[in-house]
Amino acid sequence: MITENNYRHNLNLYKKSFYGRMINGQGVDYVSGMRYGICNMSFNGCEVIAVHNALVYMKKARPVYEVSRYMEKFRMLAGFFGCNPYKIGEALRHFGIKYKKSRQIGESEIFIVSFWTGQRFLSTIHTVFCVRNNNGILVYNIYNNCPDVRFCRNNPEIAKYKKIIVVYTIKGV
């Protein structure tokens, strides 16, 4: 029931002009009022946004409300704690993205990474989509209120030197 109510709510907020655009700052713009589980995406939508951004980057764009609808089945505690980060791969596969799952970023060029924002098990997690180039790493949706892509010089900087939970290296570029 939550899933279909959220789908209708999100569909009403969605603006067609946003189709195929990367999302940065889950707490700004139209996406902040969309729903995932029992919360607004500004609170718990980072995994949905990371998958959405991967789809846009890989030229397989889908509206964020479709991505959210599919990922609702992986929400934790009615979505209060967002999506199970170990299930992101199932969403990538569903939308036609090949990946390799690991615990380290290494030299990954295109990837999604989930990490603790503070002490393990005592803090929240955050998930971002990243693209490595010659100068460093572009990180999408790095902060809730940051409307721009951010640049990190190295892998540890992405997670602010906190513990990484899982990495999905995207294949087939």
Side-chain angles (χ1 to χ4, degrees):
M1 185 63 132
I2 290 175
T3 300
E4 291 310 307
N5 288 339
N6 285 349
Y7 177 76
R8 284 190 295 278
H9 173 82
N10 294 345
L11 184 61
N12 288 332
L13 287 180
Y14 188 75
K15 295 175 180 38
K16 289 181 182 174
S17 62
F18 287 102
Y19 183 79
R21 291 178 45 196
M22 301 294 257
I23 296 173
N24 281 297
Q26 67 195 64
V28 297
D29 221 341
Y30 77 97
V31 75
S32 67
M34 288 185 156
R35 307 274 306 162
Y36 182 75
I38 61 172
C39 300
N40 285 340
M41 275 204 225
S42 61
F43 180 73
N44 67 352
C46 59
E47 293 88 6
V48 170
I49 292 168
V51 170
H52 170 271
N53 286 344
L55 291 168
V56 169
Y57 187 84
M58 297 300 291
K59 309 279 190 261
K60 295 179 181 238
R62 297 295 273 272
V64 68
Y65 61 83
E66 284 184 18
V67 176
S68 176
R69 183 186 208 181
Y70 180 78
M71 291 181 71
E72 285 264 350
K73 67 174 81 177
F74 307 126
R75 65 183 187 251
M76 295 184 356
L77 293 177
F80 187 75
F81 290 109
C83 173
N84 179 344
Y86 296 107
K87 297 290 188 173
I88 292 171
E90 291 184 38
L92 292 171
R93 185 178 318 110
H94 173 79
F95 290 110
I97 301 286
K98 295 179 182 173
Y99 67 91
K100 179 183 166 219
K101 186 174 169 180
S102 66
R103 306 274 273 157
Q104 296 182 1
I105 297 170
E107 296 301 313
S108 300
E109 291 181 26
I110 303 166
F111 56 97
I112 292 174
V113 58
S114 295
F115 53 88
W116 293 102
T117 60
Q119 271 190 312
R120 285 193 283 182
F121 306 108
L122 298 176
S123 67
T124 60
I125 66 169
H126 190 51
T127 302
V128 296
F129 172 73
C130 304
V131 178
R132 184 183 309 275
N133 65 27
N134 291 336
N135 300 318
I137 304 156
L138 299 172
V139 183
Y140 296 84
N141 194 39
I142 194 165
Y143 301 115
N144 191 316
N145 61 354
C146 178
D148 303 308
V149 63
R150 288 295 169 103
F151 179 80
C152 291
R153 294 180 309 253
N154 56 49
N155 292 348
E157 213 174 83
I158 298 167
K160 298 171 214 70
Y161 297 88
K162 304 293 186 203
K163 179 73 175 161
I164 289 176
I165 299 167
V166 64
V167 177
Y168 295 90
T169 299
I170 295 173
K171 305 288 185 180
V173 181

